[in-house]
């Protein structure tokens, strides 16, 4: 368990270009972390709630719950494995506007299904995975249910190399009736994966066909490449490239289950089919006193019908250094350029945060940070703002009192 409290001062609580409002925000936190991995059962779950009180009434009081949970039960060893996931988080309604309570909605992603493995020989295995997915958006994004069935044939060529053949069918039903277009998607891919002394890799290529009920179907290439390399005993690099025809709900699911493949902050939710192409490069350095993470991401989103096409470029760095066993410092910076190609708008934003943490005891920690962020656009953009803020918090036990 964990509890915490914090204070945040901002000189632009509503993130507007003019008539800025400063505010002092009181932050309260309570959370619980559970992990279990013994025998056939495994659980990894975090549940928390954050309450915000705006003392100058820039917004009304807000409470944001969160759940990140995965669980599994291997009912029959190497043959039947049940899996369930649930991610309850907050996401932006408009991915370009500033992150304020007026632009935040609760979202929930739930998946459930078994993996049925059928060994054919010492080198060959067939796995069948039926899965149910449910997507919920509090205000906008078009709730949907998905019913998926995938089958994999795995052949171990060598001890360090596998061949894969995958086929899947997904039925997507939206809840808002005529405004959305339900569809059935089929996907077929072949792949190869392996490992070396200092690296791992996987390559999958194939095609996807989307059959929509009230408009033209969509077909095209799909594939992904993942390469990880251990540069030294303390540093590693990873490259991820992918292109697929999908929907934004599945992009959200992938960002929650595999954050290293890219985030969701710059993706606009929609009930449309979208071509999602992404390239992400990451670098990590972890040593006794230094913990650093750098990344660069290029993403192109091409929506079938809605005018939400965008080209995104983002770089970021998270640098942390322990001055002593009790005192840590950090520097976090991001730069993002979003070009909305359908309407000719371009927005650039950057943020830089300096952090200081002090361990008062084994379980009690104080944190302080200072942040400046700015967003500018061309003449066709209305999402401009700048903000200076500072945040101080005190946490006990397991707690992650994040910024409002």
């Amino acid at each position: 368990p964990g509890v915490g409290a914090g204070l945040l001062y901002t000189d632009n609580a509503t993130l507007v270009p003019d008539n800025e409002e400063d505010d002092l925000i009181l932050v309260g936190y309570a959370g619980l972390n559970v992990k279990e991995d013994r025998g056939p059962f495994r659980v990894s779950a975090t549940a928390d709630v954050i309450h915000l009180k705006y003392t100058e009434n820039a917004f009304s009081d807000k409470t944001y719950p969160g759940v990140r949970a995965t669980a599994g039960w291997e009912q029959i060893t190497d043959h039947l494995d049940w899996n369930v996931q649930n991610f309850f988080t907050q996401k932006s309604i408009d991915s370009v506007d500033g992150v304020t309570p007026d632009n935040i909605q609760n979202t929930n992603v739930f998946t459930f299904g078994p993996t049925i493995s059928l060994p054919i020989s010492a080198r060959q295995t067939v796995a069948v995975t039926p899965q149910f997915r449910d997507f919920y958006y509090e205000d906008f994004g078009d709730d949907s249910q998905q019913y998926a069935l995938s089958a994999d044939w795995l052949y171990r060529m060598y001890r360090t190399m596998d061949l894969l053949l995958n086929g899947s069918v997904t039925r997507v039903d939206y809840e808002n009736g005529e405004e959305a277009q339900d569809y059935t998607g089929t996907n077929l891919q072949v792949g190869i994966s392996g490992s070396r002394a200092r690296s791992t890799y996987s390559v999958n290529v194939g095609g996807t066909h989307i059959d929509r009920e009230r408009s033209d179907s969509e077909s095209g290439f799909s594939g992904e490449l993942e390469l990880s390399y251990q540069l030294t005993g303390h540093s590693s690099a990873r490259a991820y490239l992918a292109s697929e025809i999908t929907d934004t709900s599945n992009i959200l699911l992938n960002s929650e289950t595999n954050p290293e493949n890219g985030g969701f902050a710059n993706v606009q939710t929609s009930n449309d089919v979208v071509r999602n192409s992404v390239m992400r490069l990451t670098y990590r350095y972890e040593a006794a006193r230094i913990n650093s993470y750098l990344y660069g991401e290029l993403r192109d989103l091409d929506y079938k019908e809605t005018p939400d096409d965008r080209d995104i470029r983002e770089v970021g760095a998270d640098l942390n250094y322990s001055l002593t066993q009790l005192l840590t410092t950090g520097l976090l910076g991001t730069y993002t350029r979003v070009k909305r190609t359908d309407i000719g708008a371009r927005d650039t934003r950057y943020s830089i945060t300096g952090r200081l943490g002090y361990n008062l005891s084994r379980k009690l920690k104080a944190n302080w940070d200072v942040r400046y962020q700015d967003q500018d656009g061309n003449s066709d953009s209305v999402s401009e703002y700048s903000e200076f803020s500072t945040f101080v918090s005190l946490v006990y036990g397991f707690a992650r009192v994040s910024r409002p």
Side-chain angles (χ1 to χ4, degrees), residues 4 47 66 83 96 101 119 159 168 174 215 229 242 297 302 308 317 354 394:
N83 296 278
V96 176
R159 184 177 58 86
S168 65
Y174 290 99
S215 65
Y229 191 81
E297 179 177 314
D302 184 9
D308 292 320
L394 187 67

Side-chain angles (χ1 to χ4, degrees), residues 371-388:
R371 172 181 296 177
Y372 180 78
Q373 61 175 340
D374 180 89
Q375 177 161 310
D376 294 310
N378 61 6
S379 58
D380 294 307
S381 176
V382 295
S383 304
E384 296 188 345
Y385 61 85
S386 62
E387 180 207 26
F388 170 83

Side-chain angles (χ1 to χ4, degrees), residues 213-281:
E213 293 187 347
R214 291 185 293 276
S215 65
D216 295 337
S217 60
E218 183 87 356
S219 299
F221 167 82
S222 65
E224 65 177 359
L225 165 67
E226 179 182 347
L227 174 63
S228 299
Y229 191 81
Q230 192 71 31
L231 299 170
T232 68
H234 297 290
S235 62
S236 61
R238 181 178 184 268
Y240 177 77
L241 292 85
S243 183
E244 60 178 345
I245 304 174
T246 183
D247 58 35
T248 57
S249 291
N250 280 302
I251 299 175
L252 173 59
L253 173 60
N254 188 43
S255 71
E256 294 291 346
T257 55
N258 302 291
E260 289 288 294
N261 293 347
F264 191 76
N266 298 313
V267 178
Q268 180 59 48
T269 56
S270 172
N271 60 21
D272 199 4
V273 171
V274 59
R275 161 71 70 176
N276 174 44
S277 301
V278 60
M279 179 176 70
R280 185 178 176 93
L281 305 176

Side-chain angles (χ1 to χ4, degrees), residues 5 62 110 128 145-146 151 210 277 280 284 385 389 392:
K62 300 294 181 181
F110 173 82
V128 179
Q145 287 78 45
Q146 300 187 7
I210 302 292
S277 301
R280 185 178 176 93
R284 292 183 181 274
Y385 61 85
S389 61
V392 60

Side-chain angles (χ1 to χ4, degrees), residues 295 314-317 332-336 349-353 372 374:
Y295 72 91
E314 182 169 280
V315 293
L332 172 65
T334 60
Y335 171 84
T336 307
R349 62 176 178 264
Y350 68 89
S351 171
I352 186 166
T353 306
Y372 180 78
D374 180 89

Side-chain angles (χ1 to χ4, degrees), residues 25-44:
I25 306 170
L26 309 180
V27 183
Y29 169 94
L32 182 68
N33 185 34
V34 177
K35 288 188 177 182
E36 172 70 27
D37 190 9
R38 286 183 290 182
F41 297 98
R42 59 193 182 277
V43 176
S44 177

Side-chain angles (χ1 to χ4, degrees), residues 290-308:
I290 300 176
N291 188 335
S292 300
Y293 176 69
L294 294 86
Y295 72 91
E297 179 177 314
L298 303 177
R299 187 188 293 268
D300 181 74
L301 295 167
D302 184 9
Y303 293 78
K304 176 70 173 178
E305 294 182 351
T306 57
D308 292 320

